[in-house]
Amino acid sequence: MAKKPCEFPTAVLSFRRFLQRRFLGGRHHHRPTSTTATGAAIPPADKLHNQTVMIDLESWLLRSPMSTFPYFMIVAIEAGSFLRGLILLLIYPLLWLLLSHDMRLKAMVMVSFFGLPEKEVVRIGKAVLPKFFLEGMAMEGLEVVRNAKKVVVFSPLFPRVMVEGFLKEYIGVNAVIGREVIAVAGRYVGLLVDHIDMDDGGFVDEVMEETKRGKGDGAVGLAGVGSKMHHLFSRYCKCICSTRNSAILMQETYVVCDADKKEWQPVPREKYPKPLIFHDGRLAFKLTPCAAVAMYTYLPWGIFLAVFRSLAFGLLPYRVSVPLAAFTGMRSRLIAGPSPDATRRNSGTAGGRLYVCNHRTLLDPITVAAVLNKPITAVTYSVSPVSELIAPIRTARLTRDRDEDRRRMEALLARGDLVVCPEGTTCREPYLLRFSPLFAELTGEVTPVALETRIDMFYGTSTKPAAKWLDPFYFMLNSRPEYHVEFLQPVSTAPVDGEAGGHGHSINAANRVQRVLGEALAFELTEQTRKDKYEMLAGNKGNVKGEAKM
């Protein structure tokens, strides 16, 4: 009797294919079947001039092989909570091992979005995610967008709400097409719609009409090897033909693979299409799975450190609290410059010194007081009762009435040293916002103080009213938070070069102090204000509690 062939090798091959699908994400580097595909990695500029470009976000605008997990973690934590992020982190290995790519995406959407308010997720898409997308953007892909007349971006992986703010506000694309997450009564239910709406505000209809009238040459497609973009383009054109008796002609489809992208370069900050001056959120690093595990492992110890540091600064004198904080990894570094005592030269006033500093966190005045090792007063607007209770220095509330605030600050300055932050709000990036000129009307000379911070995990600023009182706590939650403090040469606020007195001269004096601080810090000067920041990040005019301001 003939021996039955052994089936073991077939089983081994099947198991190997199973592992490849799970552990390699189902990537198959096959050649595209589209007859319009070209092997050129980057389309020449003349091919894109006055053209409409339909581009795959994940394949062409982002550098690294696409992993959506860090971005869903940001939504889960920033729009939800650390507990929601922990749940996503714990189930992700099972999703990665047991589910297909599309099912894994739907599961992450469910965990990250379920129950969240639509407005908050939209805010995260505009205020938090753009920073991380810009850091992962490819210079080569950005050049393609710049050379095109009109740009339609497809995002097969990310829900449209996550990428639309970044693409329209910072890249300037004309339309964003992606999958939608179902919402009911203003809250997401976590279900991802399979169908992709192929239009955005009528823009695609406009391109189609231009092609029909002979005013346009169609579109150029930019996709990734093995992606669904070729099928998406083909299905899109057929759908238009069947419904509107016309079609957008795909002249060529350029494809790129991961091997080509290994040589692609990140976009330097100075070449961002729009400067990243403002952004929100607590997380200061990209939450890859390994980084997320490290953060959650550190978090209990970090909370202990933050509580210990807060109590030390709130209860102990500076000569004790500063060394204790340094022992735990928190440092305040005085950069070489004029001695703080040297800044007490005669300024023509009988009161204290006026220290003017840029605004990084709510701890700025406390840090200045700790370096000086003496009591000072900080003026604030609407600081929360919790912040006032734990503040180790004197604080004085202002009213937003210019004349009344000037009288209050003059009285405080007559009694002792005063520190103000004329930007009016914190700024994380290397920019200085416009200075309020009120401080220049108080005294004939001010001492600029250049402040810079270093953090590794969490930002100590926020625009969410309910979380403002936690800002100092988040700064101290970092493993090695650091302040750099430099006392600069005093700057005269008296009129110069024939300037007349009054409000006009105080504006010029405020601008001089801003320039001095900008040069010391190598920060770029801007005309942005507190109102601009809050309108962009929070959708209001900054009338929230808990932010220090002069």
Side-chain angles (χ1 to χ4, degrees):
M1 184 175 71
K3 185 181 288 188
K4 186 177 180 180
C6 178
E7 298 181 357
F8 179 73
T10 303
V12 171
L13 292 175
S14 299
F15 184 67
R16 186 179 69 178
R17 286 193 293 269
F18 169 80
L19 291 180
Q20 288 176 337
R21 288 195 300 271
R22 291 296 181 263
F23 290 92
L24 299 180
R27 293 180 182 173
H28 303 285
H29 298 288
H30 57 271
R31 294 185 62 82
T33 57
S34 173
T35 57
T36 63
T38 175
I42 305 294
D46 59 344
K47 285 280 188 180
L48 303 176
H49 184 63
N50 288 330
Q51 294 293 327
T52 296
V53 173
M54 296 186 174
I55 184 171
D56 183 341
L57 167 66
E58 291 81 12
S59 298
W60 278 83
L61 284 179
L62 301 179
R63 283 192 308 125
S64 60
M66 198 61 247
S67 173
T68 56
F69 173 80
Y71 303 95
F72 282 109
M73 277 291 288
I74 292 171
V75 173
I77 293 176
E78 300 287 6
S81 65
F82 280 93
L83 177 59
R84 185 188 291 262
L86 179 60
I87 294 173
L88 178 59
L89 176 63
L90 292 176
I91 68 171
Y92 182 69
L94 295 177
L95 301 180
W96 186 62
L97 181 63
L98 301 177
L99 299 183
S100 66
H101 184 274
D102 192 58
M103 291 300 296
R104 183 163 65 244
L105 177 65
K106 291 180 178 179
M108 286 194 294
V109 169
M110 173 61 73
V111 175
S112 302
F113 281 74
F114 180 75
L116 294 179
E118 280 187 278
K119 290 184 178 180
E120 180 61 15
V121 177
V122 171
R123 191 187 75 85
I124 297 301
K126 292 177 60 178
V128 179
L129 286 171
K131 170 185 180 293
F132 298 95
F133 283 124
L134 285 169
E135 291 173 350
M137 189 168 54
M139 190 68 203
E140 289 76 2
L142 179 61
E143 289 298 330
V144 169
V145 172
R146 286 174 170 170
N147 291 328
K149 177 183 178 182
K150 296 180 180 178
V151 180
V152 181
V153 176
F154 291 82
S155 178
L157 297 183
F158 292 108
R160 186 166 63 92
V161 68
M162 291 177 62
V163 299
E164 188 170 35
F166 156 66
L167 292 170
K168 288 191 173 181
E169 293 291 332
Y170 287 90
I171 309 300
V173 305
N174 300 91
V176 179
I177 297 174
R179 303 170 78 172
E180 302 290 344
V181 184
I182 297 176
V184 176
R187 290 186 177 269
Y188 287 107
V189 298
L191 298 178
L192 192 62
V193 179
D194 288 327
H195 171 71
I196 297 180
D197 184 5
M198 297 304 300
D199 202 352
D200 184 297
F203 173 75
V204 176
D205 283 341
E206 177 185 340
V207 176
M208 182 196 71
E209 289 298 326
E210 288 183 357
T211 304
K212 183 177 179 181
R213 294 194 302 266
K215 295 183 179 180
D217 297 327
V220 174
L222 304 175
V225 173
S227 73
K228 298 180 180 179
M229 293 301 295
H230 294 103
H231 305 291
L232 193 60
F233 289 154
S234 300
R235 184 173 62 183
Y236 175 44
C237 292
K238 291 178 182 178
C239 177
I240 292 179
C241 287
S242 63
T243 58
R244 293 181 172 83
N245 195 29
S246 183
I248 294 179
L249 303 176
M250 299 299 297
Q251 290 185 331
E252 282 185 302
T253 301
Y254 290 82
V255 295
V256 66
C257 64
D258 290 345
D260 297 325
K261 295 175 65 175
K262 288 182 179 179
E263 305 298 325
W264 286 17
Q265 300 298 314
V267 180
R269 176 184 296 273
E270 61 272 13
K271 293 188 178 180
Y272 283 174
K274 177 182 177 181
L276 181 68
I277 300 176
F278 302 126
H279 59 87
D280 207 4
R282 295 296 190 185
L283 301 172
F285 61 103
K286 188 176 181 180
L287 276 172
T288 62
C290 291
V293 170
M295 181 193 72
Y296 278 103
T297 302
Y298 165 79
L299 206 53
W301 173 247
I303 293 174
F304 170 78
L305 284 180
V307 173
F308 178 81
R309 291 162 176 169
S310 299
L311 291 176
F313 275 101
L315 302 178
L316 300 175
Y318 292 129
R319 65 177 181 273
V320 178
S321 61
V322 172
L324 278 179
F327 179 75
T328 67
M330 182 178 180
R331 301 181 184 277
S332 297
R333 178 186 175 193
L334 179 61
I335 302 175
S339 168
D341 292 335
T343 64
R344 300 189 62 84
R345 71 174 65 175
N346 183 18
S347 61
T349 62
R353 292 293 302 174
L354 180 60
Y355 296 96
V356 178
C357 58
N358 59 302
H359 204 0
R360 305 302 278 178
T361 77
L362 289 179
L363 296 175
D364 294 343
I366 299 174
T367 303
V368 173
V371 172
L372 292 173
N373 193 24
K374 65 177 182 178
I376 61 174
T377 303
V379 291
T380 62
Y381 284 134
S382 303
V383 172
S384 68
V386 176
S387 297
E388 287 186 320
L389 179 64
I390 65 176
I393 64 174
R394 294 190 300 268
T395 60
R397 288 175 177 260
L398 298 182
T399 64
R400 299 186 188 276
D401 179 86
R402 183 179 182 83
D403 293 333
E404 176 62 25
D405 289 343
R406 183 172 61 249
R407 285 192 293 270
R408 291 190 180 189
M409 294 174 68
E410 287 174 344
L412 292 169
L413 191 58
R415 294 196 295 267
D417 291 345
L418 186 67
V419 59
V420 298
C421 301
E423 286 180 285
T425 188
T426 56
C427 184
R428 300 171 174 178
E429 298 301 321
Y431 296 94
L432 286 181
L433 309 186
R434 190 174 70 194
F435 276 23
S436 170
L438 180 58
F439 74 89
E441 301 175 10
L442 304 176
T443 180
E445 184 181 84
V446 300
T447 301
V449 185
L451 301 176
E452 178 61 303
T453 56
R454 298 285 187 271
I455 47 96
D456 47 23
M457 287 189 181
F458 306 104
Y459 287 112
T461 61
S462 175
T463 61
K464 296 177 67 172
K468 290 298 301 178
W469 68 276
L470 287 172
D471 285 358
F473 183 84
Y474 269 100
F475 180 80
M476 295 184 182
L477 191 60
N478 289 282
S479 61
R480 297 181 63 85
E482 187 171 343
Y483 253 99
H484 293 178
V485 183
E486 181 177 5
F487 290 86
L488 305 177
Q489 294 288 351
V491 175
S492 172
T493 58
V496 296
D497 298 331
E499 288 180 347
H503 186 61
H505 118 261
S506 65
I507 293 177
N508 294 332
N511 291 339
R512 288 199 301 272
V513 177
Q514 184 196 39
R515 284 194 298 271
V516 168
L517 284 171
E519 291 172 0
L521 292 164
F523 283 8
E524 185 175 341
L525 310 185
T526 75
E527 287 294 317
Q528 300 293 308
T529 64
R530 172 191 175 93
K531 179 180 177 181
D532 297 326
K533 172 184 172 179
Y534 277 88
E535 284 184 342
M536 177 180 178
L537 301 184
N540 57 55
K541 295 183 179 180
N543 298 321
V544 298
K545 292 184 178 181
E547 177 114 338
K549 182 180 179 180
M550 195 290 291

Short mmCIF file of all heavy atoms in Angstrom, two decimals, residues 463-504:
data_model
loop_
_atom_site.label_atom_id
_atom_site.label_comp_id
_atom_site.label_asym_id
_atom_site.label_seq_id
_atom_site.Cartn_x
_atom_site.Cartn_y
_atom_site.Cartn_z
N THR A 463 -4.70 74.54 28.64
CA THR A 463 -5.74 75.54 28.42
C THR A 463 -7.10 75.06 28.91
O THR A 463 -8.09 75.77 28.78
CB THR A 463 -5.86 75.88 26.92
OG1 THR A 463 -6.21 74.70 26.19
CG2 THR A 463 -4.56 76.46 26.39
N LYS A 464 -7.16 73.86 29.47
CA LYS A 464 -8.44 73.33 29.97
C LYS A 464 -8.70 73.91 31.36
O LYS A 464 -7.91 73.72 32.28
CB LYS A 464 -8.40 71.80 30.03
CG LYS A 464 -8.24 71.15 28.67
CD LYS A 464 -8.13 69.64 28.77
CE LYS A 464 -9.43 69.03 29.26
NZ LYS A 464 -9.39 67.55 29.19
N PRO A 465 -9.81 74.62 31.54
CA PRO A 465 -10.06 75.29 32.82
C PRO A 465 -10.06 74.34 34.02
O PRO A 465 -9.52 74.67 35.07
CB PRO A 465 -11.45 75.92 32.62
CG PRO A 465 -11.59 76.07 31.14
CD PRO A 465 -10.85 74.91 30.54
N ALA A 466 -10.63 73.15 33.84
CA ALA A 466 -10.74 72.23 34.97
C ALA A 466 -9.40 71.67 35.40
O ALA A 466 -9.27 71.15 36.51
CB ALA A 466 -11.69 71.08 34.61
N ALA A 467 -8.37 71.77 34.55
CA ALA A 467 -7.08 71.15 34.86
C ALA A 467 -5.99 72.17 35.15
O ALA A 467 -4.85 71.78 35.38
CB ALA A 467 -6.66 70.27 33.69
N LYS A 468 -6.32 73.47 35.17
CA LYS A 468 -5.28 74.48 35.35
C LYS A 468 -4.55 74.35 36.68
O LYS A 468 -3.35 74.57 36.77
CB LYS A 468 -5.88 75.88 35.22
CG LYS A 468 -6.33 76.25 33.82
CD LYS A 468 -5.20 76.26 32.84
CE LYS A 468 -4.11 77.22 33.21
NZ LYS A 468 -2.97 77.18 32.27
N TRP A 469 -5.27 73.99 37.73
CA TRP A 469 -4.64 73.94 39.05
C TRP A 469 -3.61 72.81 39.13
O TRP A 469 -2.78 72.79 40.04
CB TRP A 469 -5.70 73.79 40.14
CG TRP A 469 -6.41 72.45 40.11
CD1 TRP A 469 -7.48 72.11 39.35
CD2 TRP A 469 -6.09 71.31 40.91
NE1 TRP A 469 -7.86 70.82 39.61
CE2 TRP A 469 -7.02 70.30 40.56
CE3 TRP A 469 -5.12 71.02 41.87
CZ2 TRP A 469 -7.00 69.04 41.14
CZ3 TRP A 469 -5.10 69.77 42.45
CH2 TRP A 469 -6.03 68.80 42.09
N LEU A 470 -3.65 71.88 38.17
CA LEU A 470 -2.70 70.77 38.16
C LEU A 470 -1.42 71.10 37.39
O LEU A 470 -0.52 70.26 37.34
CB LEU A 470 -3.35 69.54 37.53
CG LEU A 470 -4.40 68.81 38.37
CD1 LEU A 470 -5.09 67.73 37.55
CD2 LEU A 470 -3.79 68.22 39.63
N ASP A 471 -1.32 72.29 36.81
CA ASP A 471 -0.15 72.61 36.00
C ASP A 471 1.18 72.46 36.74
O ASP A 471 2.09 71.79 36.25
CB ASP A 471 -0.28 74.03 35.42
CG ASP A 471 -1.28 74.10 34.28
OD1 ASP A 471 -1.83 73.04 33.91
OD2 ASP A 471 -1.52 75.20 33.75
N PRO A 472 1.34 73.06 37.93
CA PRO A 472 2.62 72.87 38.64
C PRO A 472 2.88 71.40 38.99
O PRO A 472 4.02 70.95 38.96
CB PRO A 472 2.44 73.72 39.91
CG PRO A 472 1.39 74.71 39.57
CD PRO A 472 0.47 73.99 38.64
N PHE A 473 1.80 70.67 39.31
CA PHE A 473 1.95 69.26 39.66
C PHE A 473 2.50 68.47 38.48
O PHE A 473 3.39 67.62 38.64
CB PHE A 473 0.59 68.70 40.09
CG PHE A 473 0.63 67.27 40.54
CD1 PHE A 473 0.99 66.94 41.83
CD2 PHE A 473 0.30 66.25 39.66
CE1 PHE A 473 1.03 65.62 42.25
CE2 PHE A 473 0.34 64.93 40.06
CZ PHE A 473 0.70 64.60 41.37
N TYR A 474 1.99 68.75 37.26
CA TYR A 474 2.48 68.03 36.09
C TYR A 474 3.94 68.36 35.79
O TYR A 474 4.70 67.49 35.35
CB TYR A 474 1.60 68.34 34.88
CG TYR A 474 0.44 67.39 34.71
CD1 TYR A 474 -0.84 67.73 35.13
CD2 TYR A 474 0.62 66.14 34.14
CE1 TYR A 474 -1.90 66.86 35.00
CE2 TYR A 474 -0.43 65.26 33.99
CZ TYR A 474 -1.70 65.63 34.43
OH TYR A 474 -2.74 64.75 34.29
N PHE A 475 4.33 69.60 36.01
CA PHE A 475 5.73 69.94 35.80
C PHE A 475 6.63 69.15 36.75
O PHE A 475 7.67 68.62 36.36
CB PHE A 475 5.95 71.45 35.99
CG PHE A 475 7.37 71.88 35.77
CD1 PHE A 475 7.87 72.07 34.49
CD2 PHE A 475 8.22 72.09 36.85
CE1 PHE A 475 9.18 72.47 34.29
CE2 PHE A 475 9.54 72.48 36.66
CZ PHE A 475 10.02 72.67 35.38
N MET A 476 6.23 69.06 38.01
CA MET A 476 7.02 68.33 38.99
C MET A 476 6.90 66.82 38.82
O MET A 476 7.67 66.07 39.42
CB MET A 476 6.59 68.73 40.40
CG MET A 476 6.88 70.18 40.73
SD MET A 476 6.48 70.59 42.44
CE MET A 476 6.88 72.33 42.48
N LEU A 477 5.95 66.38 38.02
CA LEU A 477 5.79 64.95 37.75
C LEU A 477 6.88 64.40 36.85
O LEU A 477 7.11 63.18 36.80
CB LEU A 477 4.41 64.71 37.11
CG LEU A 477 3.90 63.28 36.97
CD1 LEU A 477 3.78 62.59 38.32
CD2 LEU A 477 2.54 63.28 36.28
N ASN A 478 7.58 65.27 36.14
CA ASN A 478 8.68 64.82 35.29
C ASN A 478 9.81 64.25 36.13
O ASN A 478 10.03 64.65 37.28
CB ASN A 478 9.20 65.99 34.45
CG ASN A 478 8.22 66.40 33.37
OD1 ASN A 478 8.11 65.76 32.34
ND2 ASN A 478 7.48 67.48 33.62
N SER A 479 10.56 63.33 35.53
CA SER A 479 11.64 62.71 36.30
C SER A 479 12.78 63.68 36.56
O SER A 479 13.38 63.66 37.64
CB SER A 479 12.17 61.47 35.55
OG SER A 479 12.69 61.85 34.27
N ARG A 480 13.11 64.56 35.59
CA ARG A 480 14.20 65.51 35.76
C ARG A 480 13.79 66.89 35.23
O ARG A 480 14.35 67.38 34.23
CB ARG A 480 15.46 65.02 35.05
CG ARG A 480 16.01 63.72 35.59
CD ARG A 480 17.27 63.30 34.85
NE ARG A 480 18.34 64.26 35.02
CZ ARG A 480 19.18 64.26 36.06
NH1 ARG A 480 19.05 63.37 37.01
NH2 ARG A 480 20.14 65.16 36.14
N PRO A 481 12.81 67.52 35.86
CA PRO A 481 12.43 68.88 35.41
C PRO A 481 13.54 69.86 35.72
O PRO A 481 14.24 69.74 36.74
CB PRO A 481 11.17 69.17 36.21
CG PRO A 481 11.32 68.35 37.45
CD PRO A 481 12.05 67.10 37.04
N GLU A 482 13.69 70.85 34.86
CA GLU A 482 14.80 71.79 35.05
C GLU A 482 14.40 73.19 34.63
O GLU A 482 13.68 73.37 33.63
CB GLU A 482 16.02 71.33 34.25
CG GLU A 482 17.28 72.14 34.50
CD GLU A 482 18.50 71.51 33.85
OE1 GLU A 482 18.43 70.32 33.48
OE2 GLU A 482 19.52 72.23 33.71
N TYR A 483 14.84 74.16 35.40
CA TYR A 483 14.68 75.58 35.08
C TYR A 483 16.05 76.19 34.84
O TYR A 483 16.97 75.98 35.64
CB TYR A 483 13.99 76.32 36.22
CG TYR A 483 12.56 76.71 35.96
CD1 TYR A 483 11.51 75.94 36.46
CD2 TYR A 483 12.26 77.84 35.21
CE1 TYR A 483 10.19 76.30 36.23
CE2 TYR A 483 10.94 78.21 34.98
CZ TYR A 483 9.91 77.43 35.49
OH TYR A 483 8.61 77.80 35.24
N HIS A 484 16.18 76.94 33.76
CA HIS A 484 17.38 77.75 33.52
C HIS A 484 16.99 79.21 33.74
O HIS A 484 16.04 79.71 33.12
CB HIS A 484 17.90 77.56 32.10
CG HIS A 484 18.43 76.19 31.84
ND1 HIS A 484 18.91 75.79 30.61
CD2 HIS A 484 18.56 75.11 32.65
CE1 HIS A 484 19.31 74.53 30.69
NE2 HIS A 484 19.10 74.10 31.91
N VAL A 485 17.71 79.90 34.60
CA VAL A 485 17.39 81.27 34.98
C VAL A 485 18.59 82.15 34.69
O VAL A 485 19.72 81.83 35.10
CB VAL A 485 17.01 81.37 36.47
CG1 VAL A 485 16.60 82.79 36.83
CG2 VAL A 485 15.90 80.38 36.81
N GLU A 486 18.36 83.26 33.99
CA GLU A 486 19.43 84.22 33.72
C GLU A 486 18.93 85.63 33.98
O GLU A 486 17.99 86.09 33.32
CB GLU A 486 19.92 84.10 32.28
CG GLU A 486 21.06 85.06 31.96
CD GLU A 486 21.60 84.89 30.55
OE1 GLU A 486 21.01 84.10 29.79
OE2 GLU A 486 22.60 85.56 30.20
N PHE A 487 19.56 86.32 34.93
CA PHE A 487 19.25 87.72 35.20
C PHE A 487 20.07 88.59 34.24
O PHE A 487 21.29 88.53 34.23
CB PHE A 487 19.58 88.07 36.65
CG PHE A 487 18.67 87.44 37.65
CD1 PHE A 487 18.92 86.16 38.12
CD2 PHE A 487 17.54 88.11 38.10
CE1 PHE A 487 18.08 85.56 39.04
CE2 PHE A 487 16.69 87.52 39.01
CZ PHE A 487 16.96 86.23 39.48
N LEU A 488 19.36 89.38 33.43
CA LEU A 488 20.02 90.21 32.43
C LEU A 488 20.27 91.61 32.97
O LEU A 488 19.81 91.98 34.06
CB LEU A 488 19.14 90.27 31.18
CG LEU A 488 18.74 88.92 30.58
CD1 LEU A 488 17.81 89.12 29.39
CD2 LEU A 488 19.96 88.11 30.17
N GLN A 489 21.03 92.38 32.20
CA GLN A 489 21.30 93.76 32.60
C GLN A 489 20.00 94.56 32.65
O GLN A 489 19.11 94.38 31.81
CB GLN A 489 22.27 94.41 31.61
CG GLN A 489 23.65 93.81 31.59
CD GLN A 489 24.45 94.16 32.84
OE1 GLN A 489 24.03 95.00 33.64
NE2 GLN A 489 25.60 93.54 33.00
N PRO A 490 19.85 95.43 33.64
CA PRO A 490 18.63 96.24 33.73
C PRO A 490 18.40 97.04 32.44
O PRO A 490 19.34 97.47 31.76
CB PRO A 490 18.91 97.16 34.91
CG PRO A 490 19.88 96.41 35.75
CD PRO A 490 20.76 95.67 34.78
N VAL A 491 17.16 97.22 32.11
CA VAL A 491 16.75 97.95 30.90
C VAL A 491 15.95 99.17 31.32
O VAL A 491 15.01 99.07 32.12
CB VAL A 491 15.92 97.06 29.97
CG1 VAL A 491 15.41 97.87 28.77
CG2 VAL A 491 16.73 95.87 29.49
N SER A 492 16.30 100.32 30.78
CA SER A 492 15.58 101.55 31.09
C SER A 492 14.25 101.56 30.35
O SER A 492 14.16 101.18 29.18
CB SER A 492 16.41 102.76 30.69
OG SER A 492 15.65 103.95 30.83
N THR A 493 13.22 102.02 31.05
CA THR A 493 11.91 102.17 30.42
C THR A 493 11.58 103.64 30.17
O THR A 493 10.45 103.97 29.80
CB THR A 493 10.82 101.55 31.32
OG1 THR A 493 10.85 102.19 32.60
CG2 THR A 493 11.04 100.06 31.49
N ALA A 494 12.55 104.50 30.36
CA ALA A 494 12.33 105.93 30.12
C ALA A 494 12.28 106.20 28.62
O ALA A 494 12.85 105.45 27.82
CB ALA A 494 13.45 106.75 30.77
N PRO A 495 11.61 107.28 28.19
CA PRO A 495 11.56 107.61 26.77
C PRO A 495 12.96 107.84 26.20
O PRO A 495 13.83 108.42 26.87
CB PRO A 495 10.73 108.88 26.72
CG PRO A 495 9.91 108.84 27.98
CD PRO A 495 10.78 108.19 29.00
N VAL A 496 13.21 107.38 24.99
CA VAL A 496 14.51 107.56 24.34
C VAL A 496 14.28 108.16 22.96
O VAL A 496 13.20 108.05 22.37
CB VAL A 496 15.26 106.21 24.21
CG1 VAL A 496 15.60 105.65 25.57
CG2 VAL A 496 14.44 105.20 23.40
N ASP A 497 15.35 108.79 22.44
CA ASP A 497 15.33 109.35 21.08
C ASP A 497 14.14 110.27 20.85
O ASP A 497 13.45 110.19 19.82
CB ASP A 497 15.32 108.22 20.04
CG ASP A 497 16.55 107.35 20.13
OD1 ASP A 497 17.60 107.88 20.55
OD2 ASP A 497 16.47 106.16 19.80
N GLY A 498 13.87 111.11 21.82
CA GLY A 498 12.82 112.10 21.63
C GLY A 498 11.41 111.55 21.72
O GLY A 498 10.46 112.21 21.28
N GLU A 499 11.25 110.35 22.28
CA GLU A 499 9.91 109.79 22.42
C GLU A 499 9.09 110.63 23.39
O GLU A 499 9.59 111.13 24.40
CB GLU A 499 9.97 108.36 22.97
CG GLU A 499 10.49 107.33 21.99
CD GLU A 499 10.53 105.95 22.63
OE1 GLU A 499 10.40 105.86 23.87
OE2 GLU A 499 10.70 104.97 21.89
N ALA A 500 7.82 110.75 23.07
CA ALA A 500 6.90 111.41 24.00
C ALA A 500 6.49 110.41 25.07
O ALA A 500 6.55 109.21 24.88
CB ALA A 500 5.68 111.92 23.24
N GLY A 501 6.08 110.93 26.22
CA GLY A 501 5.63 110.05 27.27
C GLY A 501 4.26 109.47 26.95
O GLY A 501 3.70 109.66 25.87
N GLY A 502 3.71 108.73 27.94
CA GLY A 502 2.39 108.16 27.76
C GLY A 502 2.42 106.73 27.28
O GLY A 502 3.44 106.03 27.34
N HIS A 503 1.27 106.29 26.77
CA HIS A 503 1.10 104.90 26.40
C HIS A 503 2.02 104.49 25.26
O HIS A 503 2.52 103.36 25.22
CB HIS A 503 -0.37 104.65 26.02
CG HIS A 503 -0.70 103.22 25.75
ND1 HIS A 503 -0.55 102.23 26.70
CD2 HIS A 503 -1.14 102.61 24.63
CE1 HIS A 503 -0.91 101.07 26.19
NE2 HIS A 503 -1.28 101.27 24.94
N GLY A 504 2.26 105.40 24.29
CA GLY A 504 3.11 105.06 23.16
C GLY A 504 4.53 104.73 23.58
O GLY A 504 5.13 103.76 23.09
#
